[in-house]
Amino acid sequence: MQSQDVAPRPASTPRPVPVVDVEQAEAALVEHYPRLVRLAYLVLPPSLGRNRRVLTAHSLTQRALPRGRTSGDPSLIPVQQTAEGRDCDPGYAYVRLQVLRTALEAGRPLRLKAWPKRAQLPPLLPQVWGLRLFPRSGGADELALDQRLSALSAPARAAYVLRGLERMGDTDVCDMLAAAGEEDPAAALTEAGRLESQDDLLTSPEFDPCSLQARPPDLMRRRQHMKAALAATAAVAVCGALLGLPGDGWAPDGPAAPPYAQNPAAQAALDPGKLTLVPTAAWQSSARTDFSVWPARGNLTGDKALLRRALAVWARPGESVRVSATPGTPAGAPPGPPQLLYAGEVDQGRVVLLYDGLRIVRYAEPKDGTRIAALDFARVDGATGAEANAVVLNRTDGNIRYLTAPWVRKAAVRDLLKSAPGPSGTSGTTRLGRSADGVTEPFAGPAERTGECRSWNALELTDAAGTRLMTDLGELTPAHLTSGRPGQPHDASAATWSPLACSLAAVRSQGVRSVNAWQYARQPLPDASGTADWLCTRADTWRGGGARVLAQFHASGQKYGAVAAKAENVAACGPKDPHVLAGVLWKAEHAGDWYLLAAGSKDTASINTTGGVNGSAQGNVLVVRAKQGAQAGLEGRLANGRAIAGLR
């Protein structure tokens, strides 16, 4: 970001004095709340710590409302005269200025002879007890930007954020800082101009205090404080009796070893010299194809200081460490010396991958400092074959880099939504380059969307057993995509997953191990316009529970399948219960008539409807005329006489 000379505004006709009432300001605050909280979070000093910084950002934003109708010099509510939308709303301009003013006040040092301002004190509301809250972890670029912002003064941080997040010109930034009480806005603007412009990163989830993760506080310290308080209370009440007890009579942890920092076994787990290093060619002679035979790779495997930091942060993550874990994954310290999978420079950071037999742990820090770091946990117990083929090394701006297994021979990116062959004779496939260490080139992952799903890039890896299709679901290990009858899955083709790919967004960040697609029925459409395939997809997790099942209806001529039913924590569509029954209301294209269509797996002998639609059929498919919006239930019976219900 380059600074520009800021000239004073030319004299002009005074603007009308804006008048803002509570209702108008509240409407603006509610509508733009996430943006205002992000502004406060970015301006607040990082020295507060992430938990207090999040709570303070919310507190300052919620206190930005006026006490009544307010008016005054228009310069106190700077508005870009050529802007549209929120920037020309006096209510938004007022609350934005209040948020900026109090965020700057919070960053000023306390003075001995002056009362602290309210913004400089810990927030009274909101309060969260027993948890630490922090935004979701970003990539190395976000970590590096956060560290560079922390080196700026508070006014310079505010100038940088107003430029990048609010898209304000330099003159407007100076007016805003002056209205917020800064004595030298031009100097702040000049300081901010020395920092490279990275406006897109300011909208990253890394700086979104409205999208949060939670983890426990320092449990050992809290336990010690509780024990100290209880001991003091007991001492006051029964001090005479306690004096007569033997010294070792009531040890709080019985025969347990000393606390973690004094435990020799735990100390060994923190020694980089005791990390397990697998020889480079071990996988070639081993019968196993899992993470235990991955060699240590990367250009920093000999950097003892980096490895020591990674192990220490794993055991005792500090306040500035972004910690995330897949559901059901313990985030505790290693039980012993773990195995080193990778240590090297990746994009703008340094990354270490470790494996303790149960979890993959990723430690990342920016190249230009060690004040902040990210720590990610993923459960991988029992991973073998395709499940141990790749691990995410880094995510930046929606792009992903993987570290592939040493036995992977070829890597490619396949857009599952492109089924027509391209110029190269493949179906939406692009070759993916890899380094000698097995690190892939970055490629665009299936980003989180709120609009239409237009692409879904999957990772295609080829090894001695064949070609495997994997997809990123926002976690350290990609999910394995398969197809076939439950209990007998095989590696899936892109054609199978093409109409189903967009439904994978429903199982993002759920700790998914594999997703199987099964075409369980085919049904002729009642208007003779073709046929429809009935498919179910089952996403199984690493933790065992939390499986999610979707029944999907894919009519001929339609690009994507439609979700007809869904359920969680059910055995249906799985190896323990390879049956499924689902229905959908369908409108004939030509006649415009509505029908209830239903189908079960091949061993379904009959289907009956209940509720707002009456009908029955022998066999595994049913067609009944219905009205638009009709509500109906489904009951089926298998060939062996067992009753089944519709998936829900």
Side-chain angles (χ1 to χ4, degrees):
M1 179 182 293
Q2 299 297 324
S3 63
Q4 302 174 4
D5 293 335
V6 181
R9 292 185 184 274
S12 60
T13 303
R15 287 180 285 157
V17 175
V19 177
V20 181
D21 57 26
V22 176
E23 291 78 10
Q24 185 179 10
E26 182 182 21
L29 188 148
V30 171
E31 180 181 358
H32 303 292
Y33 186 80
R35 190 178 192 88
L36 292 166
V37 178
R38 186 188 291 263
L39 172 66
Y41 182 83
L42 287 164
V43 174
L44 285 169
S47 59
L48 290 177
R50 290 174 302 140
N51 183 68
R52 181 174 167 185
R53 194 174 166 196
V54 166
L55 296 178
T56 301
H58 283 274
S59 177
L60 299 182
T61 305
Q62 293 171 14
R63 297 204 327 257
L65 290 178
R67 297 185 181 276
R69 291 174 63 86
T70 181
S71 63
D73 186 344
S75 65
L76 294 180
I77 306 178
V79 179
Q80 300 179 64
Q81 297 303 301
T82 60
E84 299 290 341
R86 65 174 182 275
D87 290 327
C88 57
D89 175 7
Y92 176 75
Y94 177 84
V95 293
R96 178 176 62 185
L97 176 60
Q98 293 301 110
V99 168
L100 180 66
R101 177 184 289 126
T102 53
L104 290 170
E105 289 176 352
R108 296 188 181 115
L110 296 173
R111 297 180 179 178
L112 294 177
K113 297 183 179 181
W115 288 99
K117 292 184 177 293
R118 186 176 177 183
Q120 296 174 288
L121 301 174
L124 296 176
L125 291 173
Q127 284 286 349
V128 178
W129 297 91
L131 286 174
R132 288 179 179 173
L133 301 178
F134 51 92
R136 297 177 59 183
S137 298
D141 291 345
E142 286 87 343
L143 291 174
L145 176 60
D146 193 25
Q147 188 166 23
R148 287 193 290 270
L149 285 175
S150 67
L152 296 178
S153 65
R157 267 196 315 274
Y160 185 91
V161 173
L162 290 173
R163 273 176 164 177
L165 188 65
E166 293 293 296
R167 308 292 184 182
M168 296 176 68
D170 288 355
T171 304
D172 292 315
V173 170
C174 279
D175 289 349
M176 176 74 83
L177 292 176
E182 288 304 319
E183 296 179 355
D184 194 353
L189 202 60
T190 301
E191 182 182 354
R194 300 191 187 105
L195 191 60
E196 179 186 359
S197 176
Q198 293 180 293
D199 298 347
D200 292 342
L201 294 183
L202 294 178
T203 60
S204 165
E206 173 82 17
F207 306 115
D208 183 4
C210 290
S211 178
L212 301 172
Q213 290 183 321
R215 70 180 179 91
D218 189 335
L219 300 179
M220 291 300 296
R221 179 179 296 177
R222 187 172 72 180
R223 179 182 294 178
Q224 291 169 356
H225 289 173
M226 291 291 293
K227 287 180 179 179
L230 291 174
T233 303
V236 172
V238 291
C239 58
L242 289 177
L243 290 174
L245 290 175
D248 299 328
W250 286 354
D253 296 321
Y260 187 86
Q262 303 174 14
N263 188 334
Q267 285 180 325
L270 303 181
D271 184 355
K274 295 185 178 180
L275 284 171
T276 300
L277 303 178
V278 175
T280 303
W283 65 273
Q284 297 176 356
S285 58
S286 174
R288 307 180 67 167
T289 53
D290 57 21
F291 292 111
S292 68
V293 293
W294 275 36
R297 290 173 284 177
N299 62 343
L300 297 178
T301 54
D303 189 337
K304 298 299 183 183
L306 170 64
L307 300 178
R308 187 179 300 278
R309 286 196 300 274
L311 292 169
V313 170
W314 181 356
R316 303 182 305 278
E319 182 67 22
S320 64
V321 180
R322 281 78 165 166
V323 181
S324 69
T326 57
T329 303
Q339 176 185 342
L340 177 63
L341 303 183
Y342 183 87
E345 294 181 345
V346 182
D347 297 324
Q348 300 302 312
R350 293 183 287 263
V351 176
V352 178
L353 288 179
L354 300 164
Y355 171 63
D356 68 354
L358 171 69
R359 302 163 294 178
I360 292 286
V361 178
R362 174 184 174 272
Y363 169 83
E365 65 181 26
K367 287 182 180 179
D368 54 0
T370 60
R371 292 179 56 192
I372 54 179
L375 190 67
D376 303 311
F377 294 84
R379 185 169 173 174
V380 292
D381 48 317
T384 185
E387 297 166 345
N389 267 354
V391 176
V392 171
L393 269 186
N394 191 36
R395 284 190 180 88
T396 303
D397 296 334
N399 295 321
I400 308 172
R401 280 190 193 270
Y402 284 99
L403 176 67
T404 56
W407 51 81
V408 170
R409 299 175 178 177
K410 186 172 63 174
V413 179
R414 181 184 286 272
D415 186 347
L416 296 181
L417 300 191
K418 292 182 179 178
S419 56
S424 62
T426 61
S427 299
T429 304
T430 304
R431 181 183 174 277
L432 187 62
R434 296 186 298 152
S435 70
D437 282 336
V439 178
T440 69
E441 297 173 342
F443 68 93
E448 297 186 38
R449 309 175 174 84
T450 57
E452 183 180 357
C453 176
R454 297 182 181 274
S455 66
W456 193 280
N457 285 340
L459 179 66
E460 198 173 71
L461 299 177
T462 302
D463 55 26
T467 299
R468 317 297 183 89
L469 204 57
M470 322 288 291
T471 185
D472 174 61
L473 293 178
E475 295 164 335
L476 275 183
T477 55
H480 184 202
L481 299 182
T482 61
S483 62
R485 183 175 177 81
Q488 302 172 343
H490 52 79
D491 285 303
S493 66
T496 299
W497 273 98
S498 181
L500 308 174
C502 292
S503 66
L504 289 168
V507 293
R508 190 186 298 275
S509 301
Q510 298 299 316
V512 173
R513 181 174 190 161
S514 63
V515 190
N516 185 61
W518 173 38
Q519 180 185 327
Y520 66 88
R522 175 167 291 177
Q523 180 177 29
L525 295 175
D527 64 348
S529 61
T531 60
D533 291 332
W534 286 90
L535 306 102
C536 74
T537 58
R538 180 181 178 90
D540 287 307
T541 67
W542 289 100
R543 63 189 183 278
R548 296 194 176 190
V549 178
L550 300 179
Q552 303 196 44
F553 176 81
H554 183 216
S556 57
Q558 298 295 318
K559 188 173 182 180
Y560 308 126
V563 176
K566 56 185 176 180
E568 187 173 352
N569 285 318
V570 297
C573 194
K576 292 186 177 180
D577 187 14
H579 310 286
V580 65
L581 174 62
V584 67
L585 281 176
W586 180 81
K587 182 181 180 181
E589 290 186 12
H590 303 300
D593 297 327
W594 284 88
Y595 295 88
L596 171 63
L597 306 183
S601 46
K602 291 183 179 180
D603 53 355
T604 303
S606 63
I607 302 175
N608 297 314
T609 64
T610 61
V613 179
N614 293 320
S616 63
Q618 296 298 310
N620 70 323
V621 295
L622 173 141
V623 178
V624 181
R625 284 186 178 273
K627 295 181 180 180
Q628 181 180 0
Q631 300 288 325
L634 293 174
E635 296 176 349
R637 192 165 294 277
L638 302 179
N640 62 7
R642 174 190 158 197
I644 61 172
L647 187 70
R648 54 185 306 170

